[in-house]
Amino acid sequence: MLPPEATAADRELLRRSMGLDQPLVVQYLRFLGDLAVGDFGLSYRFNQPAMSVVLERVGHTLVLTFTALGIAVLIGVPIGVMSAVYRDSWIDLTGKLFAIVGQSAPPFFFGVLMIAFFSVHLGWLPTGGTGGLQYLIMPAIALGWYSAAGTMRLTRASMSEVLEAEYIKMAKIKGLPQRVIIYKHALRNACLPVITFTALQLGVLLGGAVSVEAVFAWPGLGFLILKSIEDLDYTIVQAAVTLIALSFTAINLLVDLLYAWIDPRIRYD
Amino acid sequence: MTNAGTPAKSRPATDAAMVAQSAAVLTVLPRRRRQWAQSALVFVAAAVLALILSAAMLPWAFSRYEPNAMDLMATLQAPSLEHLFGTDALGRDILCRSIYGAQISIFVAACAVFLAGAVGTALGILAAYFRGATDAIIMRLADVQFSLPAVILAMFLVGAIGASILNLIIVLTLANWARFARVIRSEALSLRTRDFVLLAELAGASPLRVMVRHIAPNILSSLIVLATLDVGVIVILEATLSFLGLGIRPPDPSLGTLIADGRGYLATAWWISVLPGLVLMSLILACNTLGDYLRDRLSPTLAMKW
Amino acid sequence: MVTGVSDVLQVENLTTCVATRNGIITAVDNVSFRLSRGSTLGLVGESGSGKSMTCLSIQRLLPSNSVVAAGSIRFKGEDLLTKTPRQMEAIRGREIGMILQDPMTSLNPVFTVGQQVGEVFRYHKGTRPRDIRTKVLDVLKRVRIPAPAERYHSYPHQFSGGMRQRVSIAINIGNHPDLLIADEPTTALDVTVQLQILHLLREIQQESGMAIIFVTHDLNLVARFCDDVAVMYAGRIVEKGPVKTVFADPKHPYTRDLLSAIPRISKSRDRLRPIPGQPPVMTNLPKGCRFEPRCRLASERCRAAYPDWVEQKETGGGVACWETAVGAK
Amino acid sequence: MTLPFIDLQDVHKAYNVRRGVFRAGKLLHAVSGVSFSVPEGSTFGLVGESGSGKSTIARMVLGAEAATSGEVRVAGQNVTTLDRKQRFQLRRTLQPVLQDPYSSLNPRIRIAAIVDEPLRVHRIEHGQSLKARVAQLLEQVGLSAETMRRYPNELSGGQRQRVAIARAISINPRCLVLDEPVSALDVSIQAQILNLLKDLQARLRLTYLLISHDLAVVSYMSDQIGVLYLGQFMEIASREDIIANARHPYTQALMAAADSTIGEEVGRVGNAVQGEIPSPLSPPSGCPFHPRCPMAEARCRQEKPALRAFGPSHQVACHLAESTR
């Protein structure tokens, strides 16, 4: 942080101004005090309160993450349901292939592949940065496919288990049409674990977003954290990580409430 | 009492049953076909894994180059007989670097999965057996780890303790033990309600004996499946960290760093990034396929918990 | 055999095969029986005897690894095996009902009782939505569920085992079916509640003339609830006939030994006579009679070939055993 | 009068059931005020339907659960006040046989290891003499010594229950607690196991505490029978008294339900006992059976009837016991 030719005195002055000369315990307590107040300290690089820098960037990450989550749910759930209902059919096999490949392609490599093919070779899409929708397509797909694979597999497993349940046999005994049995009775029960899984996916997506943002230079939180680590700008890293942890815990709470609303057994004890 | 019944009907049963059984066989064929297809897939996966592992174990047998040996006369050469995977900007043979990269990736992933598995399993069994406070503490610790996405936790830790192979293994273990703890705990909890655990306790067996002799052997199959599937996840995580420059530091080759190196040359020398990436993908693909196969055979119900 | 005018159901040589990991087993092997209107047939057998598979075959609800390989199932004159899935959908829940064993799992936990009972009206007779609610309340009253109006919107987990089984009965008798299959309906219930459910089924049967197949392993219940009985062992019917004659003078050694093996409340302290040996393993059944390894009257003939079925003209029953059918009592 | 092997005095067991985070926890009374004793060498039968508390009593006798109040004495020692060492010794005198043969055996270990575990834990035998003892135990329960090397999934339900019994008697206990030992078995196999238990009792002079919902099984095996309902005794008597002279309406209903005569109208009994077992969370006032009792009067609703003697070993908890025969 100091120019190379800075003298020992300058260095000493800086240390004292940053309070680094205090014993470690005192520094830590002051740090916690600031945290409680929401003051994450100044960012060296931006010379602004760390949290405000973080909040600026979080929007981009959320857009990317929720688009990817949307892809995961819109593709993963229907294929999962179909491959459970029509077991051993072509849907089931393609679904399995889609899932296995999806979970084997790390998002960042998948991004590199797409850039090589769509941007460089075909020139259809920009290689990175932000702007219109076309900037979002590749990063979202790169991130979305990996989590769609997970969602699909879980939906298939949950649906298959529910289809074996006694109350589904009772639905058949009642002579209900096939579509009512699948989309009313089975799906309603099968979606419970899928909701919890999708919420947990948000965490995986946040992680994945970091590498995808790096590949596509997408100005999100991950990219910011990456840069801050390289520049040893710890206040940013701490602020960002705290924000992510808090938002993640909030999501978990939301899922529990949602679960209670859907599953009467919890609501009407 | 003589029986006034009518003469017995023509010989029923056995031959009719034979006809019936053959008819039944026809309807069961699609299931056979699926099983055959699955075992073919698994065979291919096992072969790919064997190839990559043997290459990683005996790199010199597969490539006569040195990973960091530069040949400034042969920079950015396309894949050729001479250099199967071509060369990078510094003339280094990419196939050789990929092999050594795979070596490190597999080594790091294996260690991390082993450590995370051991720690997670032990804590999972303890939490399930003693319940109460132990369970609450362990599960809250797991929640802490779950609340932070692995990559971000890893970045935070690497930022704090610096990047080295040992640190990477530590980071990967810390970012992954909770998955094992949670799944093993739920398996152990269902075992805990089984009668043979109560019977062992009522025979006077100590908690340690119950956990080692009765609970552990019965969660082994789930552990094997979990570990195999987890290797894929850890390899991805390691490659991602190395790609971001937070894992293996250049010049040591890791599949992640190789892909990173090639990013600048996608237009002119696509093979620098793409080929090592394909090696990475086939490694993960093989692990996932094997894991699925094991899960179907060993513990089908695991799909839900993972 | 000519179809009796009052026969609701006539099953001929029904054979169902199941593909298991260690080979294909014939779970239901050449089973034949008849059921007339308003009468109750007890299908009795131990676990693995094929009694449940017989019911699933009739309803065409077999799991994916099993199939009806031969035989015919004439329900009101038409063979169910020739019906298309859509035609079966129309029959199930309207003309044929079925009660499952475990009340805890046979109702969908996330829908209210009112919705689940109402469905059987909505998807069948095209009842107007307005009438569904009154129809549901009527049928809930009929199965004696207290305060049906309040319980209409409550969920299955708020009901006790006995009450849930009554809801299942309500679902199945809503459209006045001609045949009700009860697959061990009371096994999961307490003794006192068991008899209430059977009493309820008897009342409904007397009102509507519905025929009932009562599947159970409990011979006591068959004795007091059924008109006819068919005893199954290793996938085959070994003895059939009216409850009075079969229980008073059992012809097949298995039926005889089964009746003497049941502990009864009696002053005498004499020992029970258990049936020796282990239950049959369906993947390698003996060539001859399948009860031979555990039978006291077993002879060379029994080991050689499966005994022919001998009809008892006067009772409509029959037995498959070389020794007792022809020989001395 | 020999010292009773098992002796329970006014035992209570209540669980604190928390219903939701916000609502205060309610007390579930599984067992409320149960007293009985089992003389050495005899069989005491506990019969009751679900929610009667019979399994909870079994677990308290085995020391797997502590009583909320009252005394549980086994072989003269109060089970709840034992320290670790004494509790370990208690295990040698008392062993259980549980209901589900598929859940009682660890699927991952061989039969030999299952049967000899109590012997190993108590270090009674090891090496060759252990193997011989296991072979002898298997023969005693009617299994070939060769079964030793097999795994549980290779055996039928009846054979598995025999292995469970061999294990229970391996350390020569003086008492077996049989919790629904035959309910999960087929009828033809039940009789084999019941006779095996009778023979072992005679040969090894064992005391049995038998728990079952099936009055017929209990009456076949027991010398003394206790009829439980909602955690309390309705009637305790010798086997002969219960069969010939049952006085409590609930016992009479169980008798009628269990023993059938051909073609007898289902209604006669189906109508007798109405309604279902109330929830133990809110037990009815007065006599717990009054909501379902055909003879219930005002007194039954207000005042809980105490156990009154009707003969040397016949007690009934019913205000109208005199007029029920």
Side-chain angles (χ1 to χ4, degrees):
Chain A
M1 284 174 274
L2 281 173
E5 65 283 356
T7 63
D10 296 340
R11 212 170 277 114
E12 186 48 30
L13 187 64
L14 183 66
R15 257 169 46 80
R16 196 171 299 111
S17 73
M18 289 175 61
L20 292 180
D21 51 354
Q22 307 289 343
L24 209 54
V25 173
V26 170
Q27 284 183 36
Y28 187 63
L29 287 180
R30 194 183 315 124
F31 166 69
L32 283 186
D34 298 345
L35 263 194
V37 170
D39 164 12
F40 286 82
L42 275 176
S43 141
Y44 310 126
R45 213 150 51 96
F46 297 91
N47 216 347
Q48 287 172 326
M51 188 48 98
S52 60
V53 173
V54 167
L55 290 178
E56 245 172 57
R57 300 296 185 86
V58 81
H60 289 288
T61 296
L62 289 183
V63 164
L64 178 58
T65 315
F66 278 98
T67 323
L69 194 67
I71 292 176
V73 171
L74 291 179
I75 294 177
V77 173
I79 295 185
V81 170
M82 283 301 128
S83 57
V85 171
Y86 305 102
R87 289 178 76 92
D88 298 336
S89 66
W90 62 272
I91 301 178
D92 193 7
L93 292 180
T94 44
K96 273 199 185 124
L97 215 59
F98 166 87
I100 288 249
V101 173
Q103 278 189 320
S104 310
F108 74 91
F109 176 62
F110 192 52
V112 165
L113 277 183
M114 282 204 289
I115 291 178
F117 190 68
F118 291 108
S119 309
V120 173
H121 188 60
L122 295 176
W124 288 350
L125 293 168
T127 58
T130 62
L133 189 63
Q134 72 277 18
Y135 289 88
L136 177 61
I137 295 172
M138 287 207 291
I141 292 176
L143 198 53
W145 190 4
Y146 180 77
S147 112
T151 310
M152 184 239 128
R153 290 159 67 94
L154 182 92
T155 312
R156 180 175 184 281
S158 163
M159 196 65 182
S160 307
E161 192 176 357
V162 165
L163 285 172
E164 306 297 323
E166 287 284 290
Y167 53 82
I168 296 298
K169 189 192 278 184
M170 180 58 98
K172 289 177 188 159
I173 288 168
K174 287 200 258 192
L176 303 181
Q178 185 75 350
R179 56 176 169 68
V180 171
I181 295 176
I182 294 173
Y183 297 110
K184 180 181 175 191
H185 281 273
L187 198 56
R188 180 73 185 274
N189 282 279
C191 72
L192 297 173
V194 174
I195 290 169
T196 344
F197 180 82
T198 309
L200 289 179
Q201 275 298 90
L202 262 182
V204 173
L205 285 174
L206 280 177
V210 172
S211 52
V212 166
E213 284 171 11
V215 169
F216 290 97
W218 183 266
L221 217 52
F223 199 38
L224 176 66
I225 297 176
L226 193 61
K227 282 285 168 284
S228 310
I229 287 189
E230 273 156 24
D231 303 344
L232 302 182
D233 188 349
Y234 287 118
T235 52
I236 294 278
V237 176
Q238 280 151 7
V241 167
T242 314
L243 181 68
I244 291 173
L246 285 179
S247 54
F248 200 70
T249 324
I251 292 164
N252 276 345
L253 191 62
L254 189 70
V255 164
D256 289 344
L257 295 178
L258 195 61
Y259 214 92
W261 177 71
I262 287 183
D263 187 343
R265 280 168 291 194
I266 299 170
R267 202 171 1 150
Y268 291 85
D269 201 322
Chain B
M1 185 192 82
T2 58
N3 185 317
T6 56
K9 275 197 304 219
S10 63
R11 170 157 305 288
T14 44
D15 33 29
M18 284 307 144
V19 165
Q21 284 207 345
S22 51
V25 166
L26 295 177
T27 60
V28 174
L29 272 187
R31 169 185 286 270
R32 283 284 183 289
R33 198 152 28 82
R34 182 173 64 81
Q35 267 148 7
W36 181 84
Q38 186 178 30
S39 38
L41 207 60
V42 168
F43 182 73
V44 167
V48 165
L49 200 58
L51 179 68
I52 296 176
L53 284 177
S54 45
M57 240 87 77
L58 323 153
W60 38 266
F62 282 75
S63 159
R64 60 185 188 286
Y65 295 96
E66 284 307 316
N68 298 334
M70 284 184 269
D71 173 1
L72 294 181
M73 297 301 293
T75 60
L76 294 179
Q77 277 190 0
S80 61
L81 272 178
E82 187 54 31
H83 295 286
L84 278 178
F85 276 20
T87 60
D88 64 12
L90 302 172
R92 293 174 295 193
D93 177 75
I94 294 179
L95 172 62
C96 171
R97 286 177 65 76
S98 299
I99 292 172
Y100 279 92
Q103 189 184 54
I104 293 180
S105 292
I106 293 170
F107 171 73
V108 162
C111 294
V113 167
F114 179 76
L115 285 173
V119 168
T121 304
L123 291 179
I125 292 180
L126 283 172
Y129 189 74
F130 291 105
R131 307 278 284 281
T134 337
D135 187 12
I137 297 168
I138 293 175
M139 277 307 115
R140 292 300 77 72
L141 273 176
D143 289 345
V144 163
Q145 191 240 286
F146 263 116
S147 72
L148 265 181
V151 176
I152 291 181
L153 184 65
M155 282 162 56
F156 193 72
L157 292 172
V158 165
I161 56 177
S164 75
I165 292 190
L166 181 62
N167 290 357
L168 185 56
I169 292 177
I170 293 168
V171 163
L172 292 175
T173 307
L174 283 180
N176 186 39
W177 67 274
R179 180 200 317 274
F180 282 94
R182 265 197 184 167
V183 172
I184 297 297
R185 171 179 174 269
S186 70
E187 297 271 314
L189 272 178
S190 59
L191 278 170
R192 183 107 182 53
T193 59
R194 297 281 298 275
D195 284 348
F196 63 82
V197 170
L198 174 63
L199 284 171
E201 287 163 351
L202 291 178
S206 67
L208 184 66
R209 180 185 170 90
V210 171
M211 282 192 272
V212 168
R213 189 138 175 71
H214 290 290
I215 293 184
N218 281 290
I219 51 117
L220 208 57
S221 52
S222 304
L223 185 56
I224 294 168
V225 172
L226 210 52
T228 324
L229 288 175
D230 206 50
V231 168
V233 171
I234 293 299
V235 166
I236 289 180
L237 189 53
E238 180 274 325
T240 308
L241 289 178
S242 304
F243 175 80
L244 297 173
L246 298 164
I248 312 288
R249 276 271 187 257
D252 297 341
S254 147
L255 292 174
T257 48
L258 290 174
I259 299 170
D261 298 348
R263 269 184 59 212
Y265 304 89
L266 281 181
T268 53
W270 55 269
W271 54 87
I272 303 175
S273 281
V274 171
L275 293 179
L278 292 180
V279 170
L280 176 67
M281 255 187 82
S282 42
L283 173 63
I284 300 162
L285 203 60
C287 289
N288 283 348
T289 317
L290 275 182
D292 276 349
Y293 176 71
L294 288 174
R295 171 171 35 202
D296 289 347
R297 292 186 63 76
L298 292 179
S299 66
T301 57
L302 192 65
M304 290 294 292
K305 298 189 188 75
W306 182 50
Chain C
M1 279 197 278
V2 69
T3 328
V5 65
S6 69
D7 272 355
V8 173
L9 179 72
Q10 193 185 330
V11 173
E12 279 295 321
N13 305 95
L14 177 64
T15 305
T16 304
C17 298
V18 181
T20 63
R21 191 172 293 200
N22 30 40
I24 293 185
I25 63 171
T26 312
V28 180
D29 188 349
N30 216 282
V31 161
S32 306
F33 58 86
R34 265 210 317 266
L35 186 56
S36 49
R37 220 174 123 64
S39 80
T40 304
L41 168 69
L43 211 51
V44 173
E46 297 184 300
S47 44
S49 60
K51 49 190 191 308
S52 285
M53 286 302 273
T54 308
C55 302
L56 292 175
S57 309
I58 294 173
Q59 282 265 41
R60 303 273 308 278
L61 283 175
L62 289 169
S64 56
N65 65 346
S66 37
V67 68
V68 175
S72 70
I73 303 172
R74 284 199 182 298
F75 173 67
K76 295 201 289 194
E78 293 164 20
D79 187 352
L80 292 181
L81 295 178
T82 60
K83 298 278 181 190
T84 66
R86 190 158 300 287
Q87 284 169 330
M88 279 311 287
E89 261 172 38
I91 292 175
R92 281 198 287 266
R94 201 155 59 85
E95 296 174 52
I96 301 183
M98 186 164 174
I99 306 171
L100 300 176
Q101 173 172 345
D102 184 357
M104 289 304 164
T105 56
S106 53
L107 293 177
N108 193 325
V110 294
F111 289 104
T112 67
V113 163
Q115 285 168 317
Q116 297 191 47
V117 179
E119 267 181 335
V120 81
F121 300 116
R122 198 162 124 214
Y123 292 102
H124 279 297
K125 293 216 173 103
T127 346
R128 285 196 310 281
R130 281 197 313 286
D131 300 344
I132 288 184
R133 182 178 159 77
T134 45
K135 278 201 163 191
V136 169
L137 291 179
D138 287 348
V139 79
L140 288 180
K141 259 195 236 51
R142 200 160 158 226
V143 294
R144 289 212 200 78
I145 287 184
E150 288 84 25
R151 307 300 295 262
Y152 186 89
H153 291 295
S154 38
Y155 286 88
H157 69 277
Q158 296 169 288
F159 287 78
S160 71
M163 282 300 154
R164 282 191 213 198
Q165 205 65 323
R166 287 170 190 266
V167 170
S168 291
I169 295 172
I171 289 173
N172 281 291
I173 61 161
N175 290 320
H176 306 297
D178 298 312
L179 169 66
L180 178 70
I181 301 174
D183 188 352
E184 308 239 14
T186 59
T187 306
L189 303 176
D190 285 320
V191 172
T192 44
V193 176
Q194 263 184 13
L195 291 170
Q196 289 169 20
I197 298 294
L198 293 183
H199 177 55
L200 174 66
L201 285 176
R202 175 53 59 84
E203 266 179 8
I204 293 166
Q205 179 179 48
Q206 272 148 5
E207 270 167 37
S208 65
M210 166 177 73
I212 298 180
I213 297 180
F214 181 63
V215 172
T216 181
H217 61 276
D218 187 335
L219 283 162
N220 282 336
L221 292 180
V222 169
R224 45 184 359 155
F225 181 66
C226 301
D227 306 314
D228 298 287
V229 63
V231 180
M232 290 185 73
Y233 187 83
R236 304 180 72 97
I237 291 189
V238 294
E239 181 161 8
K240 198 167 51 176
V243 163
K244 285 188 181 51
T245 54
V246 169
F247 275 68
D249 168 23
K251 281 279 184 289
H252 197 279
Y254 175 60
T255 320
R256 223 179 268 161
D257 290 353
L258 212 51
L259 285 171
S260 69
I262 300 171
R264 293 199 186 291
I265 299 178
S266 71
K267 289 194 182 54
S268 80
R269 273 267 192 178
D270 44 27
R271 259 171 98 82
L272 287 173
R273 268 189 326 152
I275 301 176
Q278 297 306 325
V281 174
M282 296 301 280
T283 40
N284 60 48
L285 293 168
K287 190 161 64 62
C289 168
R290 291 168 182 184
F291 185 58
E292 176 268 328
R294 305 171 77 186
C295 181
R296 272 194 297 281
L297 312 171
S299 69
E300 202 41 53
R301 228 177 356 176
C302 304
R303 271 182 285 282
Y306 194 85
D308 296 335
W309 179 262
V310 175
E311 284 293 335
Q312 311 282 16
K313 230 2 169 197
E314 64 286 358
T315 62
V319 66
C321 172
W322 294 116
E323 294 312 317
T324 60
V326 178
K329 179 170 167 310
Chain D
M1 218 281 271
T2 58
L3 186 69
F5 188 82
I6 297 175
D7 188 15
L8 272 78
Q9 292 303 336
D10 190 24
V11 171
H12 287 261
K13 179 69 184 176
Y15 298 97
N16 194 327
V17 175
R18 267 195 318 285
R19 299 198 335 187
V21 178
F22 310 105
R23 273 173 285 187
K26 280 194 83 165
L27 268 182
L28 186 147
H29 297 278
V31 174
S32 29
V34 157
S35 309
F36 68 95
S37 63
V38 184
E40 179 128 24
S42 74
T43 300
F44 187 95
L46 269 179
V47 64
E49 296 179 307
S50 51
S52 61
K54 53 188 190 302
S55 285
T56 312
I57 293 175
R59 293 169 71 92
M60 284 195 283
V61 169
L62 285 164
E65 275 188 43
T68 312
S69 71
E71 243 181 57
V72 178
R73 305 184 71 82
V74 171
Q77 293 174 308
N78 184 337
V79 172
T80 40
T81 59
L82 295 177
D83 62 21
R84 230 179 56 75
K85 184 100 188 55
Q86 287 169 324
R87 184 180 293 279
F88 184 73
Q89 289 312 331
L90 177 70
R91 300 288 177 235
R92 294 190 55 170
T93 56
L94 195 66
Q95 277 297 310
V97 174
L98 302 178
Q99 169 173 0
D100 179 2
Y102 287 89
S103 168
S104 296
L105 307 182
N106 180 345
R108 278 282 186 281
I109 53 180
R110 289 180 197 275
I111 299 298
I114 293 174
V115 175
D116 70 23
E117 176 161 46
L119 293 168
R120 284 180 195 275
V121 167
H122 289 273
R123 291 184 188 72
I124 296 169
E125 288 182 37
H126 30 69
Q128 269 320 328
S129 72
L130 185 65
K131 231 185 201 10
R133 175 75 173 125
V134 169
Q136 187 215 349
L137 282 166
L138 288 176
E139 246 115 42
Q140 259 185 330
V141 294
L143 292 172
S144 70
E146 184 272 335
T147 325
M148 227 194 285
R149 277 185 301 285
R150 295 178 44 196
Y151 284 91
N153 52 30
E154 300 167 42
L155 304 180
S156 73
Q159 291 169 316
R160 285 163 176 248
Q161 201 65 332
R162 290 172 186 270
V163 169
I165 293 171
R167 173 201 167 94
I169 59 172
S170 60
I171 43 174
N172 293 326
R174 288 161 58 197
C175 169
L176 289 186
V177 175
L178 309 167
D179 191 348
E180 300 271 14
V182 292
S183 332
L185 302 176
D186 279 323
V187 174
S188 57
I189 308 293
Q190 277 186 13
Q192 290 176 15
I193 301 297
L194 291 177
N195 285 348
L196 170 64
L197 288 171
K198 274 201 168 204
D199 300 343
L200 288 176
Q201 179 168 42
R203 197 179 319 133
L204 306 173
R205 283 185 313 288
L206 291 169
T207 309
Y208 284 161
L209 174 60
L210 171 68
I211 283 103
S212 173
H213 64 278
D214 186 338
L215 188 53
V217 167
V218 166
S219 75
Y220 176 64
M221 296 288 291
S222 317
D223 304 317
Q224 274 241 322
I225 297 175
V227 178
L228 268 172
Y229 184 80
L230 220 57
Q232 296 153 48
F233 272 125
M234 296 296 115
E235 191 159 6
I236 307 177
S238 67
R239 173 184 180 283
E240 287 67 25
D241 278 341
I242 288 281
I243 292 172
N245 189 4
R247 283 191 170 280
H248 195 285
Y250 181 59
T251 314
Q252 290 164 353
L254 287 181
M255 296 271 288
D259 202 12
S260 73
T261 46
I262 296 172
E264 173 214 11
E265 227 337 275
V266 194
R268 189 176 65 74
V269 174
N271 273 332
V273 178
Q274 282 310 329
E276 305 237 349
I277 293 183
S279 143
L281 280 171
S282 51
S285 61
C287 165
F289 187 56
H290 84 259
R292 305 177 65 194
C293 178
M295 308 161 62
E297 286 176 6
R299 200 150 60 103
C300 305
R301 275 185 285 282
Q302 285 110 21
E303 185 201 323
K304 175 193 256 188
L307 275 167
R308 290 182 293 129
F310 279 81
S313 65
H314 188 178
Q315 295 176 310
V316 186
C318 175
H319 297 308
L320 317 166
E322 290 74 8
S323 57
T324 55
R325 288 305 301 177

